[in-house]
Amino acid sequence: MEKIVQTSGKRKNAVARATLKEGNGRVYINSRPLEVIEPEIRKLKIKEPILIADEKAKDIDIKVKIEGGGKNGQADAARTAIAKGLVEFTEDDDLKQKFLERDRTFLINDSRQKEAKKAGGRGARARRQTSYR
């Protein structure tokens, strides 16, 4: 029976769902190959867990579906989903330690959210100026 692992990652309002299965090491983001993702910095951010896993990720096909949030939040969410999936798929504690030593957000969702705007001002903290004269 073919082994399939499904994981998810979150960052701000972005949610990424990754599906990993045995294959040729291809990576698709929203049905597009990773190679066509622009700009380069975003592509590298998504590719980071694959580069750390190195040989262990060579024969795993990864498909990621991302919804919501902005471009950078989506990249961070995809990165978390891929890293979680690789750890679960390979069942390798050394790989898990590598991810945790490098950056905790590889395996743990970043729960920080934008603070809500409040009444009486332009943003979360900014207030309208008051004139006393």
Side-chain angles (χ1 to χ4, degrees), residues 7 10 28 35 37 40 46 49 58 68 76 100 104 107 109 128-130:
T7 56
K10 289 182 180 180
Y28 291 97
E35 289 74 40
I37 302 293
E40 190 71 22
I46 294 170
K58 285 275 188 267
D76 284 336
L100 289 173
R104 191 170 168 267
L107 301 177
N109 291 326
R128 281 199 194 91
Q129 280 190 337
T130 53

Side-chain angles (χ1 to χ4, degrees), residues 104-131:
R104 191 170 168 267
T105 58
F106 275 118
L107 301 177
I108 290 127
N109 291 326
D110 195 339
S111 60
R112 294 177 295 173
Q113 291 284 327
K114 184 177 183 288
E115 191 175 339
K117 180 198 171 296
K118 316 291 188 311
R122 296 179 63 104
R125 302 283 172 96
R127 292 287 154 257
R128 281 199 194 91
Q129 280 190 337
T130 53
S131 171

Side-chain angles (χ1 to χ4, degrees), residues 39-52:
E40 190 71 22
I41 192 89
R42 213 167 279 142
K43 185 193 308 182
L44 289 172
K45 186 172 267 193
I46 294 170
K47 211 175 188 177
E48 198 175 359
I50 299 161
L51 295 173
I52 292 171

Side-chain angles (χ1 to χ4, degrees), residues 3-89:
K3 184 175 183 180
I4 297 173
V5 170
Q6 288 188 317
T7 56
S8 69
K10 289 182 180 180
R11 173 76 171 103
K12 291 189 175 178
N13 288 327
V15 179
R17 292 177 189 86
T19 306
L20 290 83
K21 58 184 177 182
E22 290 167 20
N24 306 327
R26 289 182 294 228
V27 181
Y28 291 97
I29 310 294
N30 288 342
S31 303
R32 294 170 59 210
L34 181 62
E35 289 74 40
V36 301
I37 302 293
E38 288 293 327
E40 190 71 22
I41 192 89
R42 213 167 279 142
K43 185 193 308 182
L44 289 172
K45 186 172 267 193
I46 294 170
K47 211 175 188 177
E48 198 175 359
I50 299 161
L51 295 173
I52 292 171
D54 199 31
E55 284 297 315
K56 294 168 186 145
K58 285 275 188 267
D59 56 347
I60 301 172
D61 279 354
I62 303 169
K63 289 183 181 174
V64 184
K65 179 96 174 83
I66 315 171
E67 295 171 338
K71 299 287 187 186
N72 285 325
Q74 287 186 349
D76 284 336
R79 174 178 179 243
T80 300
I82 290 170
K84 279 184 181 176
L86 287 171
V87 167
E88 198 176 317
F89 194 90

